[in-house]
Amino acid sequence: LQLPCIGVALIEKAAFMSIELDELQETIEKDGWISEYQNGANQHGTKRSPEADTYIALSKNYAAIIKQLVELVPAQKRKKSKLEALRDE
């Protein structure tokens, strides 16, 4: 299977994102999804952590890249997922 140049670039981006998502996940598992903030003397509270925001955005982009990569593979060469096979039974 020969991928066009765009496919190679997408694979490299997906690999980078996968590593970053793993690292963010470790941080979130250790520190949690929520962080505390304080703006001045009287304004404080909790919000979603910057790592959580980054994880959410990056995971959406990662899913989009994986979808693009799957679409580059000709339909007849794609393997059915187990879920598709069960659905087709």
Side-chain angles (χ1 to χ4, degrees), residues 55-69:
Y55 183 89
I56 291 166
L58 194 57
S59 64
K60 289 177 184 177
N61 291 335
Y62 179 74
I65 285 177
I66 295 302
K67 183 177 187 272
Q68 286 178 296
L69 284 169

Side-chain angles (χ1 to χ4, degrees), residues 7-86:
V8 174
L10 288 173
I11 290 170
E12 290 172 352
K13 286 187 187 321
F16 172 80
M17 288 180 175
S18 178
I19 291 166
E20 292 299 312
L21 284 167
D22 288 345
E23 291 177 4
L24 286 165
Q25 183 175 340
E26 287 177 18
T27 301
I28 293 167
E29 287 172 353
K30 183 178 62 120
D31 299 335
W33 287 86
I34 305 297
S35 64
E36 294 183 8
Y37 71 90
Q38 181 155 0
N39 294 337
N42 297 325
Q43 187 179 13
H44 58 80
T46 59
K47 65 178 183 173
R48 195 167 45 212
S49 72
E51 293 84 5
D53 285 336
T54 303
Y55 183 89
I56 291 166
L58 194 57
S59 64
K60 289 177 184 177
N61 291 335
Y62 179 74
I65 285 177
I66 295 302
K67 183 177 187 272
Q68 286 178 296
L69 284 169
V70 168
E71 290 170 354
L72 286 175
V73 178
Q76 64 270 22
K77 293 196 178 201
R78 290 185 202 154
K79 242 177 112 175
K80 273 190 179 181
S81 72
K82 291 179 183 179
L83 182 60
E84 287 176 310
L86 283 172

